[in-house]
Amino acid sequence: MASRRRCLQALALTRQAASFALNNPSSLSFPNPHLSSNLSPTLLPIFTQSLSRSLPQWHHPRFFSSSGKEEDRAIKNDGEAEEDEDEDDYDDDDEVDYESESGEDESGLRSGGKRVYTAEEKEAVAASIGYKVVGPLTKDDDVFKPYEPVFAVVQIGSHQFKVSNGDAIFTERLKFCEVNDKLTLNKVLLVGSPSQTIIGRPIVPDAAVHAVVEEHALDAKVLIFKKKRRKSYRRTKGHRQELTKLRITDIQGIEKPENVLVSKPSKAAKKELEKVAATA
Amino acid sequence: MALRGVWQLKKLIVSYCDWGGSSRGIRAFMESELPVFKENNPQLEVITELIRGQHPHLKAFYKNKNERVICVKNMDPEDVLHHATRLRSALGRKVIKLRTRHVTKRPSVQGTWSTALPF
């Protein structure tokens, strides 16, 4: 079923692209973002070859089962069936390969509807989407250091945060990590200290930001209310976003200044002096 | 649910009824998944309480003296486990709309920018 649907999608897309190509024969620019989002990389190069060979013709009716579409194609397909056979065999092989590759990496949908990831898939998804790598849980680790005057701009998913030691950040729910897990956020766009700033192009390659997962919780409920007046249309929907709170513990990749802030002891000393003066 | 490494959920009370049909899920949860949940969270004090004639619920007591109650009537054991995990993973803070997604006490490292600063 999935393979037939993919055939239909691919062929529908190729029809669109063929129409586009017919209209603008000079400006054939691949990869089309609309196409590339649906097709796997293995299908793309084949797709370009087939189109270059068969610009003026539509696709072979072999893939389609409905009669209406076959009639259309039968009318437009006047001969030229020799090249079609080669294309179709080529397409079939690559579609089969795509299915087998996806079967090996991902276990697909289980009965409960929850997708089960293998360890490699988890790392890949975490690294690509969330830009984080999960480390082990904290056990007697002294991770929570006092404040250091160093900041970094880190990207998680599509959100960027300017982050320093000891900050808390609310992000979208991060999969594959439990509470009290250590994370490494490796998409760091900028690192700065009072004396130095390192700007990444677009990432700073050797910088890393360490964080600890504090909580996985739901946001407050927002009510989504839709109404069209005078049309008897009213809908109310409640939504609670799943968030993860991260506590930033360490920023690496820049020289940290070693002067500790000495303001507090001086204030305490001043208070003591005042008390002594008051009693005396 | 760990503020600087310290778990925030102190006690979880699993209340159920041995007669009612709405407690079927939680009774199955107590047989199948509760021991595993207890082992995974040794810091947590889990108590099972029998309340006859009432619907079952989970009561969570946090370190900031907040209590959260989730009614688990007519739920599957997996759903009850999901809610229990959610309670364990949450801090006890009041559920209000977030003001900012970035909470910090030292907003500036290189000095706050103003229009009077020379570039």
PDB file of all heavy atoms in Angstrom, chain A residues 144 149 162 167-168 170 172 178-180 193 197 214-216 218 240 243, chain B residues 1-4 86 88-89 91 93 95 98 101-104 106-107 109-110:
ATOM      1  N   PHE A 144      26.835  21.588  39.442  1.00  0.00           N
ATOM      2  CA  PHE A 144      26.224  22.904  39.610  1.00  0.00           C
ATOM      3  C   PHE A 144      27.248  23.846  40.208  1.00  0.00           C
ATOM      4  O   PHE A 144      27.419  23.941  41.415  1.00  0.00           O
ATOM      5  CB  PHE A 144      24.978  22.781  40.502  1.00  0.00           C
ATOM      6  CG  PHE A 144      23.962  21.860  39.905  1.00  0.00           C
ATOM      7  CD1 PHE A 144      23.784  20.579  40.410  1.00  0.00           C
ATOM      8  CD2 PHE A 144      23.202  22.259  38.826  1.00  0.00           C
ATOM      9  CE1 PHE A 144      22.863  19.725  39.845  1.00  0.00           C
ATOM     10  CE2 PHE A 144      22.269  21.417  38.264  1.00  0.00           C
ATOM     11  CZ  PHE A 144      22.099  20.145  38.778  1.00  0.00           C
ATOM     12  N   PRO A 149      31.140  34.351  34.435  1.00  0.00           N
ATOM     13  CA  PRO A 149      30.705  35.371  33.466  1.00  0.00           C
ATOM     14  C   PRO A 149      31.034  34.978  32.033  1.00  0.00           C
ATOM     15  O   PRO A 149      31.843  35.602  31.362  1.00  0.00           O
ATOM     16  CB  PRO A 149      31.476  36.612  33.891  1.00  0.00           C
ATOM     17  CG  PRO A 149      32.680  36.088  34.577  1.00  0.00           C
ATOM     18  CD  PRO A 149      32.295  34.812  35.228  1.00  0.00           C
ATOM     19  N   LYS A 162      20.161  32.781  24.548  1.00  0.00           N
ATOM     20  CA  LYS A 162      21.436  33.299  25.041  1.00  0.00           C
ATOM     21  C   LYS A 162      21.552  32.812  26.470  1.00  0.00           C
ATOM     22  O   LYS A 162      20.763  33.180  27.323  1.00  0.00           O
ATOM     23  CB  LYS A 162      21.480  34.822  24.977  1.00  0.00           C
ATOM     24  CG  LYS A 162      22.843  35.359  25.351  1.00  0.00           C
ATOM     25  CD  LYS A 162      22.803  36.795  25.791  1.00  0.00           C
ATOM     26  CE  LYS A 162      22.503  36.902  27.233  1.00  0.00           C
ATOM     27  NZ  LYS A 162      23.695  37.076  28.073  1.00  0.00           N
ATOM     28  N   ASP A 167      21.518  29.153  34.277  1.00  0.00           N
ATOM     29  CA  ASP A 167      20.228  29.593  33.739  1.00  0.00           C
ATOM     30  C   ASP A 167      19.304  28.406  33.581  1.00  0.00           C
ATOM     31  O   ASP A 167      19.733  27.265  33.490  1.00  0.00           O
ATOM     32  CB  ASP A 167      20.406  30.214  32.353  1.00  0.00           C
ATOM     33  CG  ASP A 167      21.071  31.555  32.426  1.00  0.00           C
ATOM     34  OD1 ASP A 167      21.274  32.047  33.536  1.00  0.00           O
ATOM     35  OD2 ASP A 167      21.389  32.095  31.350  1.00  0.00           O
ATOM     36  N   ALA A 168      18.008  28.729  33.505  1.00  0.00           N
ATOM     37  CA  ALA A 168      17.018  27.696  33.212  1.00  0.00           C
ATOM     38  C   ALA A 168      16.350  28.033  31.890  1.00  0.00           C
ATOM     39  O   ALA A 168      16.062  29.189  31.611  1.00  0.00           O
ATOM     40  CB  ALA A 168      15.981  27.619  34.314  1.00  0.00           C
ATOM     41  N   PHE A 170      13.311  26.758  28.994  1.00  0.00           N
ATOM     42  CA  PHE A 170      12.175  25.901  28.680  1.00  0.00           C
ATOM     43  C   PHE A 170      12.182  25.651  27.181  1.00  0.00           C
ATOM     44  O   PHE A 170      12.067  26.579  26.390  1.00  0.00           O
ATOM     45  CB  PHE A 170      10.861  26.580  29.073  1.00  0.00           C
ATOM     46  CG  PHE A 170      10.660  26.663  30.553  1.00  0.00           C
ATOM     47  CD1 PHE A 170      11.079  27.769  31.257  1.00  0.00           C
ATOM     48  CD2 PHE A 170      10.066  25.614  31.229  1.00  0.00           C
ATOM     49  CE1 PHE A 170      10.895  27.831  32.618  1.00  0.00           C
ATOM     50  CE2 PHE A 170       9.876  25.680  32.595  1.00  0.00           C
ATOM     51  CZ  PHE A 170      10.289  26.792  33.296  1.00  0.00           C
ATOM     52  N   GLU A 172      10.889  22.773  23.849  1.00  0.00           N
ATOM     53  CA  GLU A 172       9.899  21.755  23.523  1.00  0.00           C
ATOM     54  C   GLU A 172      10.354  20.434  24.122  1.00  0.00           C
ATOM     55  O   GLU A 172      11.544  20.241  24.371  1.00  0.00           O
ATOM     56  CB  GLU A 172       9.774  21.602  22.010  1.00  0.00           C
ATOM     57  CG  GLU A 172       9.507  22.890  21.289  1.00  0.00           C
ATOM     58  CD  GLU A 172       8.207  23.511  21.696  1.00  0.00           C
ATOM     59  OE1 GLU A 172       7.229  22.771  21.868  1.00  0.00           O
ATOM     60  OE2 GLU A 172       8.149  24.735  21.862  1.00  0.00           O
ATOM     61  N   GLU A 178      15.577  11.485  30.234  1.00  0.00           N
ATOM     62  CA  GLU A 178      14.759  11.479  31.432  1.00  0.00           C
ATOM     63  C   GLU A 178      15.176  12.637  32.318  1.00  0.00           C
ATOM     64  O   GLU A 178      16.162  13.325  32.051  1.00  0.00           O
ATOM     65  CB  GLU A 178      14.972  10.163  32.196  1.00  0.00           C
ATOM     66  CG  GLU A 178      14.489   8.944  31.458  1.00  0.00           C
ATOM     67  CD  GLU A 178      12.978   8.907  31.414  1.00  0.00           C
ATOM     68  OE1 GLU A 178      12.349   9.372  32.387  1.00  0.00           O
ATOM     69  OE2 GLU A 178      12.433   8.463  30.404  1.00  0.00           O
ATOM     70  N   VAL A 179      14.463  12.811  33.430  1.00  0.00           N
ATOM     71  CA  VAL A 179      14.839  13.843  34.391  1.00  0.00           C
ATOM     72  C   VAL A 179      16.170  13.445  35.003  1.00  0.00           C
ATOM     73  O   VAL A 179      16.470  12.269  35.175  1.00  0.00           O
ATOM     74  CB  VAL A 179      13.752  13.946  35.478  1.00  0.00           C
ATOM     75  CG1 VAL A 179      14.090  15.020  36.457  1.00  0.00           C
ATOM     76  CG2 VAL A 179      12.415  14.209  34.842  1.00  0.00           C
ATOM     77  N   ASN A 180      16.978  14.448  35.347  1.00  0.00           N
ATOM     78  CA  ASN A 180      18.317  14.230  35.903  1.00  0.00           C
ATOM     79  C   ASN A 180      19.283  13.609  34.910  1.00  0.00           C
ATOM     80  O   ASN A 180      20.207  12.890  35.285  1.00  0.00           O
ATOM     81  CB  ASN A 180      18.271  13.335  37.148  1.00  0.00           C
ATOM     82  CG  ASN A 180      18.441  14.154  38.402  1.00  0.00           C
ATOM     83  OD1 ASN A 180      18.762  15.333  38.342  1.00  0.00           O
ATOM     84  ND2 ASN A 180      18.226  13.528  39.528  1.00  0.00           N
ATOM     85  N   SER A 193      32.716  36.142  26.470  1.00  0.00           N
ATOM     86  CA  SER A 193      33.159  36.405  27.840  1.00  0.00           C
ATOM     87  C   SER A 193      33.374  37.904  27.923  1.00  0.00           C
ATOM     88  O   SER A 193      33.275  38.601  26.909  1.00  0.00           O
ATOM     89  CB  SER A 193      34.439  35.627  28.126  1.00  0.00           C
ATOM     90  OG  SER A 193      35.525  36.197  27.470  1.00  0.00           O
ATOM     91  N   THR A 197      34.933  37.441  22.270  1.00  0.00           N
ATOM     92  CA  THR A 197      33.716  36.900  21.679  1.00  0.00           C
ATOM     93  C   THR A 197      34.112  36.026  20.508  1.00  0.00           C
ATOM     94  O   THR A 197      34.927  36.434  19.678  1.00  0.00           O
ATOM     95  CB  THR A 197      32.799  38.017  21.167  1.00  0.00           C
ATOM     96  OG1 THR A 197      32.727  39.032  22.150  1.00  0.00           O
ATOM     97  CG2 THR A 197      31.407  37.496  20.878  1.00  0.00           C
ATOM     98  N   GLU A 214      15.847  19.234  34.075  1.00  0.00           N
ATOM     99  CA  GLU A 214      15.244  19.428  35.386  1.00  0.00           C
ATOM    100  C   GLU A 214      13.854  18.842  35.464  1.00  0.00           C
ATOM    101  O   GLU A 214      13.496  18.204  36.450  1.00  0.00           O
ATOM    102  CB  GLU A 214      15.175  20.924  35.714  1.00  0.00           C
ATOM    103  CG  GLU A 214      16.359  21.390  36.450  1.00  0.00           C
ATOM    104  CD  GLU A 214      16.112  22.629  37.258  1.00  0.00           C
ATOM    105  OE1 GLU A 214      15.003  23.177  37.210  1.00  0.00           O
ATOM    106  OE2 GLU A 214      17.043  23.042  37.951  1.00  0.00           O
ATOM    107  N   GLU A 215      13.033  19.103  34.462  1.00  0.00           N
ATOM    108  CA  GLU A 215      11.678  18.552  34.516  1.00  0.00           C
ATOM    109  C   GLU A 215      11.112  18.400  33.113  1.00  0.00           C
ATOM    110  O   GLU A 215      11.521  19.082  32.176  1.00  0.00           O
ATOM    111  CB  GLU A 215      10.739  19.414  35.357  1.00  0.00           C
ATOM    112  CG  GLU A 215      10.360  20.716  34.703  1.00  0.00           C
ATOM    113  CD  GLU A 215       9.198  21.437  35.360  1.00  0.00           C
ATOM    114  OE1 GLU A 215       8.317  20.776  35.916  1.00  0.00           O
ATOM    115  OE2 GLU A 215       9.191  22.661  35.298  1.00  0.00           O
ATOM    116  N   HIS A 216      10.173  17.454  33.014  1.00  0.00           N
ATOM    117  CA  HIS A 216       9.312  17.334  31.830  1.00  0.00           C
ATOM    118  C   HIS A 216       7.913  17.634  32.321  1.00  0.00           C
ATOM    119  O   HIS A 216       7.366  16.902  33.121  1.00  0.00           O
ATOM    120  CB  HIS A 216       9.330  15.896  31.303  1.00  0.00           C
ATOM    121  CG  HIS A 216      10.576  15.512  30.599  1.00  0.00           C
ATOM    122  ND1 HIS A 216      11.093  16.222  29.548  1.00  0.00           N
ATOM    123  CD2 HIS A 216      11.413  14.475  30.784  1.00  0.00           C
ATOM    124  CE1 HIS A 216      12.183  15.633  29.125  1.00  0.00           C
ATOM    125  NE2 HIS A 216      12.419  14.566  29.852  1.00  0.00           N
ATOM    126  N   LEU A 218       3.904  19.839  31.656  1.00  0.00           N
ATOM    127  CA  LEU A 218       2.960  20.436  30.713  1.00  0.00           C
ATOM    128  C   LEU A 218       2.789  21.898  31.052  1.00  0.00           C
ATOM    129  O   LEU A 218       2.740  22.289  32.217  1.00  0.00           O
ATOM    130  CB  LEU A 218       1.604  19.747  30.828  1.00  0.00           C
ATOM    131  CG  LEU A 218       1.512  18.289  30.421  1.00  0.00           C
ATOM    132  CD1 LEU A 218       0.145  17.762  30.752  1.00  0.00           C
ATOM    133  CD2 LEU A 218       1.753  18.132  28.947  1.00  0.00           C
ATOM    134  N   ARG A 240      -2.304  21.840  25.837  1.00  0.00           N
ATOM    135  CA  ARG A 240      -1.233  21.981  26.822  1.00  0.00           C
ATOM    136  C   ARG A 240       0.051  21.529  26.157  1.00  0.00           C
ATOM    137  O   ARG A 240       0.181  20.385  25.755  1.00  0.00           O
ATOM    138  CB  ARG A 240      -1.513  21.117  28.052  1.00  0.00           C
ATOM    139  CG  ARG A 240      -2.763  21.499  28.793  1.00  0.00           C
ATOM    140  CD  ARG A 240      -2.818  20.847  30.135  1.00  0.00           C
ATOM    141  NE  ARG A 240      -1.865  21.465  31.045  1.00  0.00           N
ATOM    142  CZ  ARG A 240      -1.691  21.070  32.304  1.00  0.00           C
ATOM    143  NH1 ARG A 240      -2.394  20.055  32.764  1.00  0.00           N
ATOM    144  NH2 ARG A 240      -0.830  21.660  33.075  1.00  0.00           N
ATOM    145  N   LEU A 243       6.668  20.634  27.756  1.00  0.00           N
ATOM    146  CA  LEU A 243       7.929  21.368  27.820  1.00  0.00           C
ATOM    147  C   LEU A 243       8.973  20.577  28.593  1.00  0.00           C
ATOM    148  O   LEU A 243       8.642  19.707  29.401  1.00  0.00           O
ATOM    149  CB  LEU A 243       7.740  22.708  28.531  1.00  0.00           C
ATOM    150  CG  LEU A 243       6.743  23.677  27.933  1.00  0.00           C
ATOM    151  CD1 LEU A 243       6.586  24.865  28.851  1.00  0.00           C
ATOM    152  CD2 LEU A 243       7.192  24.142  26.567  1.00  0.00           C
TER     153      LEU A 243
ATOM    154  N   MET B   1      12.112  16.072  37.149  1.00  0.00           N
ATOM    155  CA  MET B   1      11.651  16.742  38.341  1.00  0.00           C
ATOM    156  C   MET B   1      12.753  16.701  39.374  1.00  0.00           C
ATOM    157  O   MET B   1      12.718  16.005  40.340  1.00  0.00           O
ATOM    158  CB  MET B   1      10.397  16.021  38.836  1.00  0.00           C
ATOM    159  CG  MET B   1       9.850  16.619  40.052  1.00  0.00           C
ATOM    160  SD  MET B   1       9.369  15.358  41.187  1.00  0.00           S
ATOM    161  CE  MET B   1      10.836  14.492  41.455  1.00  0.00           C
ATOM    162  N   ALA B   2      13.768  17.458  39.095  1.00  0.00           N
ATOM    163  CA  ALA B   2      14.880  17.471  40.021  1.00  0.00           C
ATOM    164  C   ALA B   2      15.467  18.856  39.959  1.00  0.00           C
ATOM    165  O   ALA B   2      16.001  19.256  38.922  1.00  0.00           O
ATOM    166  CB  ALA B   2      15.921  16.427  39.620  1.00  0.00           C
ATOM    167  N   LEU B   3      15.348  19.579  41.050  1.00  0.00           N
ATOM    168  CA  LEU B   3      15.882  20.922  41.097  1.00  0.00           C
ATOM    169  C   LEU B   3      17.316  20.809  41.569  1.00  0.00           C
ATOM    170  O   LEU B   3      17.570  20.464  42.717  1.00  0.00           O
ATOM    171  CB  LEU B   3      15.039  21.741  42.084  1.00  0.00           C
ATOM    172  CG  LEU B   3      14.962  23.235  41.865  1.00  0.00           C
ATOM    173  CD1 LEU B   3      14.501  23.540  40.462  1.00  0.00           C
ATOM    174  CD2 LEU B   3      14.021  23.859  42.846  1.00  0.00           C
ATOM    175  N   ARG B   4      18.257  21.095  40.658  1.00  0.00           N
ATOM    176  CA  ARG B   4      19.680  20.992  40.981  1.00  0.00           C
ATOM    177  C   ARG B   4      20.040  19.619  41.550  1.00  0.00           C
ATOM    178  O   ARG B   4      20.768  19.505  42.523  1.00  0.00           O
ATOM    179  CB  ARG B   4      20.097  22.065  41.975  1.00  0.00           C
ATOM    180  CG  ARG B   4      20.075  23.424  41.341  1.00  0.00           C
ATOM    181  CD  ARG B   4      20.473  24.526  42.286  1.00  0.00           C
ATOM    182  NE  ARG B   4      20.533  25.779  41.569  1.00  0.00           N
ATOM    183  CZ  ARG B   4      21.626  26.248  40.991  1.00  0.00           C
ATOM    184  NH1 ARG B   4      22.756  25.584  41.063  1.00  0.00           N
ATOM    185  NH2 ARG B   4      21.598  27.379  40.344  1.00  0.00           N
ATOM    186  N   ARG B  86       4.406  11.303  34.684  1.00  0.00           N
ATOM    187  CA  ARG B  86       4.305  12.753  34.513  1.00  0.00           C
ATOM    188  C   ARG B  86       4.401  13.460  35.859  1.00  0.00           C
ATOM    189  O   ARG B  86       5.061  14.486  35.991  1.00  0.00           O
ATOM    190  CB  ARG B  86       2.961  13.081  33.882  1.00  0.00           C
ATOM    191  CG  ARG B  86       3.044  14.127  32.833  1.00  0.00           C
ATOM    192  CD  ARG B  86       1.695  14.391  32.310  1.00  0.00           C
ATOM    193  NE  ARG B  86       1.650  14.193  30.888  1.00  0.00           N
ATOM    194  CZ  ARG B  86       0.541  14.300  30.159  1.00  0.00           C
ATOM    195  NH1 ARG B  86      -0.604  14.532  30.732  1.00  0.00           N
ATOM    196  NH2 ARG B  86       0.601  14.139  28.868  1.00  0.00           N
ATOM    197  N   ARG B  88       5.915  12.374  38.478  1.00  0.00           N
ATOM    198  CA  ARG B  88       7.277  12.260  38.978  1.00  0.00           C
ATOM    199  C   ARG B  88       8.214  13.210  38.244  1.00  0.00           C
ATOM    200  O   ARG B  88       9.170  13.743  38.804  1.00  0.00           O
ATOM    201  CB  ARG B  88       7.754  10.812  38.830  1.00  0.00           C
ATOM    202  CG  ARG B  88       9.144  10.603  39.334  1.00  0.00           C
ATOM    203  CD  ARG B  88       9.805   9.522  38.571  1.00  0.00           C
ATOM    204  NE  ARG B  88       9.785   9.766  37.152  1.00  0.00           N
ATOM    205  CZ  ARG B  88      10.811   9.602  36.359  1.00  0.00           C
ATOM    206  NH1 ARG B  88      11.949   9.207  36.864  1.00  0.00           N
ATOM    207  NH2 ARG B  88      10.697   9.800  35.075  1.00  0.00           N
ATOM    208  N   SER B  89       7.947  13.453  36.944  1.00  0.00           N
ATOM    209  CA  SER B  89       8.858  14.285  36.161  1.00  0.00           C
ATOM    210  C   SER B  89       8.612  15.768  36.330  1.00  0.00           C
ATOM    211  O   SER B  89       9.351  16.573  35.792  1.00  0.00           O
ATOM    212  CB  SER B  89       8.706  13.973  34.672  1.00  0.00           C
ATOM    213  OG  SER B  89       8.789  12.623  34.445  1.00  0.00           O
ATOM    214  N   LEU B  91       8.087  19.406  38.475  1.00  0.00           N
ATOM    215  CA  LEU B  91       8.339  20.113  39.720  1.00  0.00           C
ATOM    216  C   LEU B  91       6.986  20.448  40.324  1.00  0.00           C
ATOM    217  O   LEU B  91       5.982  20.445  39.646  1.00  0.00           O
ATOM    218  CB  LEU B  91       9.105  21.406  39.448  1.00  0.00           C
ATOM    219  CG  LEU B  91      10.480  21.288  38.830  1.00  0.00           C
ATOM    220  CD1 LEU B  91      11.041  22.651  38.539  1.00  0.00           C
ATOM    221  CD2 LEU B  91      11.423  20.534  39.709  1.00  0.00           C
ATOM    222  N   ARG B  93       5.700  23.167  40.984  1.00  0.00           N
ATOM    223  CA  ARG B  93       5.320  24.577  40.850  1.00  0.00           C
ATOM    224  C   ARG B  93       3.916  24.684  40.288  1.00  0.00           C
ATOM    225  O   ARG B  93       3.400  23.786  39.641  1.00  0.00           O
ATOM    226  CB  ARG B  93       6.317  25.306  39.953  1.00  0.00           C
ATOM    227  CG  ARG B  93       6.374  24.762  38.580  1.00  0.00           C
ATOM    228  CD  ARG B  93       7.548  25.298  37.807  1.00  0.00           C
ATOM    229  NE  ARG B  93       7.565  24.716  36.499  1.00  0.00           N
ATOM    230  CZ  ARG B  93       7.014  25.279  35.429  1.00  0.00           C
ATOM    231  NH1 ARG B  93       6.461  26.464  35.527  1.00  0.00           N
ATOM    232  NH2 ARG B  93       7.034  24.666  34.268  1.00  0.00           N
ATOM    233  N   VAL B  95       0.867  25.622  38.059  1.00  0.00           N
ATOM    234  CA  VAL B  95       0.803  25.568  36.593  1.00  0.00           C
ATOM    235  C   VAL B  95       0.194  26.854  36.093  1.00  0.00           C
ATOM    236  O   VAL B  95      -1.016  27.013  36.035  1.00  0.00           O
ATOM    237  CB  VAL B  95      -0.055  24.366  36.152  1.00  0.00           C
ATOM    238  CG1 VAL B  95      -0.024  24.254  34.655  1.00  0.00           C
ATOM    239  CG2 VAL B  95       0.480  23.095  36.774  1.00  0.00           C
ATOM    240  N   LEU B  98       3.756  30.530  31.239  1.00  0.00           N
ATOM    241  CA  LEU B  98       5.137  30.975  31.353  1.00  0.00           C
ATOM    242  C   LEU B  98       5.277  32.413  30.906  1.00  0.00           C
ATOM    243  O   LEU B  98       4.727  32.812  29.886  1.00  0.00           O
ATOM    244  CB  LEU B  98       6.020  30.117  30.447  1.00  0.00           C
ATOM    245  CG  LEU B  98       6.392  28.728  30.918  1.00  0.00           C
ATOM    246  CD1 LEU B  98       7.211  28.067  29.843  1.00  0.00           C
ATOM    247  CD2 LEU B  98       7.163  28.769  32.200  1.00  0.00           C
ATOM    248  N   ARG B 101      10.707  31.997  28.375  1.00  0.00           N
ATOM    249  CA  ARG B 101      11.259  30.643  28.292  1.00  0.00           C
ATOM    250  C   ARG B 101      12.690  30.605  28.792  1.00  0.00           C
ATOM    251  O   ARG B 101      13.327  29.570  28.730  1.00  0.00           O
ATOM    252  CB  ARG B 101      11.205  30.180  26.850  1.00  0.00           C
ATOM    253  CG  ARG B 101       9.806  29.859  26.424  1.00  0.00           C
ATOM    254  CD  ARG B 101       9.792  28.833  25.363  1.00  0.00           C
ATOM    255  NE  ARG B 101       8.463  28.319  25.139  1.00  0.00           N
ATOM    256  CZ  ARG B 101       8.175  27.298  24.355  1.00  0.00           C
ATOM    257  NH1 ARG B 101       9.142  26.699  23.703  1.00  0.00           N
ATOM    258  NH2 ARG B 101       6.942  26.884  24.204  1.00  0.00           N
ATOM    259  N   HIS B 102      13.197  31.720  29.258  1.00  0.00           N
ATOM    260  CA  HIS B 102      14.600  31.760  29.676  1.00  0.00           C
ATOM    261  C   HIS B 102      14.642  32.471  31.008  1.00  0.00           C
ATOM    262  O   HIS B 102      14.367  33.664  31.091  1.00  0.00           O
ATOM    263  CB  HIS B 102      15.423  32.506  28.610  1.00  0.00           C
ATOM    264  CG  HIS B 102      16.852  32.658  28.970  1.00  0.00           C
ATOM    265  ND1 HIS B 102      17.592  33.769  28.652  1.00  0.00           N
ATOM    266  CD2 HIS B 102      17.696  31.827  29.618  1.00  0.00           C
ATOM    267  CE1 HIS B 102      18.828  33.611  29.101  1.00  0.00           C
ATOM    268  NE2 HIS B 102      18.916  32.443  29.672  1.00  0.00           N
ATOM    269  N   VAL B 103      14.958  31.742  32.072  1.00  0.00           N
ATOM    270  CA  VAL B 103      14.955  32.307  33.418  1.00  0.00           C
ATOM    271  C   VAL B 103      16.407  32.456  33.844  1.00  0.00           C
ATOM    272  O   VAL B 103      17.144  31.479  33.928  1.00  0.00           O
ATOM    273  CB  VAL B 103      14.214  31.360  34.385  1.00  0.00           C
ATOM    274  CG1 VAL B 103      14.251  31.915  35.784  1.00  0.00           C
ATOM    275  CG2 VAL B 103      12.791  31.156  33.924  1.00  0.00           C
ATOM    276  N   THR B 104      16.819  33.691  34.113  1.00  0.00           N
ATOM    277  CA  THR B 104      18.215  33.901  34.488  1.00  0.00           C
ATOM    278  C   THR B 104      18.311  34.968  35.549  1.00  0.00           C
ATOM    279  O   THR B 104      17.482  35.871  35.627  1.00  0.00           O
ATOM    280  CB  THR B 104      19.052  34.309  33.266  1.00  0.00           C
ATOM    281  OG1 THR B 104      20.364  34.603  33.694  1.00  0.00           O
ATOM    282  CG2 THR B 104      18.462  35.526  32.589  1.00  0.00           C
ATOM    283  N   ARG B 106      21.486  36.510  35.965  1.00  0.00           N
ATOM    284  CA  ARG B 106      22.561  37.396  35.505  1.00  0.00           C
ATOM    285  C   ARG B 106      22.359  37.611  34.011  1.00  0.00           C
ATOM    286  O   ARG B 106      22.919  36.895  33.199  1.00  0.00           O
ATOM    287  CB  ARG B 106      23.927  36.748  35.738  1.00  0.00           C
ATOM    288  CG  ARG B 106      24.087  36.144  37.093  1.00  0.00           C
ATOM    289  CD  ARG B 106      24.487  37.176  38.116  1.00  0.00           C
ATOM    290  NE  ARG B 106      24.815  36.525  39.379  1.00  0.00           N
ATOM    291  CZ  ARG B 106      25.948  36.700  40.046  1.00  0.00           C
ATOM    292  NH1 ARG B 106      26.866  37.525  39.560  1.00  0.00           N
ATOM    293  NH2 ARG B 106      26.165  36.064  41.157  1.00  0.00           N
ATOM    294  N   PRO B 107      21.536  38.558  33.629  1.00  0.00           N
ATOM    295  CA  PRO B 107      21.207  38.670  32.205  1.00  0.00           C
ATOM    296  C   PRO B 107      22.357  39.126  31.327  1.00  0.00           C
ATOM    297  O   PRO B 107      22.362  38.832  30.146  1.00  0.00           O
ATOM    298  CB  PRO B 107      20.061  39.687  32.185  1.00  0.00           C
ATOM    299  CG  PRO B 107      20.151  40.412  33.468  1.00  0.00           C
ATOM    300  CD  PRO B 107      20.789  39.508  34.441  1.00  0.00           C
ATOM    301  N   VAL B 109      26.578  39.605  30.462  1.00  0.00           N
ATOM    302  CA  VAL B 109      27.972  39.265  30.744  1.00  0.00           C
ATOM    303  C   VAL B 109      28.886  40.405  30.357  1.00  0.00           C
ATOM    304  O   VAL B 109      29.767  40.803  31.104  1.00  0.00           O
ATOM    305  CB  VAL B 109      28.364  37.981  29.979  1.00  0.00           C
ATOM    306  CG1 VAL B 109      29.864  37.775  30.007  1.00  0.00           C
ATOM    307  CG2 VAL B 109      27.667  36.789  30.570  1.00  0.00           C
ATOM    308  N   GLN B 110      28.656  40.948  29.174  1.00  0.00           N
ATOM    309  CA  GLN B 110      29.545  41.995  28.692  1.00  0.00           C
ATOM    310  C   GLN B 110      28.988  43.379  28.960  1.00  0.00           C
ATOM    311  O   GLN B 110      29.482  44.354  28.428  1.00  0.00           O
ATOM    312  CB  GLN B 110      29.772  41.813  27.183  1.00  0.00           C
ATOM    313  CG  GLN B 110      30.493  40.520  26.872  1.00  0.00           C
ATOM    314  CD  GLN B 110      30.645  40.302  25.389  1.00  0.00           C
ATOM    315  OE1 GLN B 110      30.052  41.014  24.587  1.00  0.00           O
ATOM    316  NE2 GLN B 110      31.425  39.319  25.020  1.00  0.00           N
TER     317      GLN B 110
END
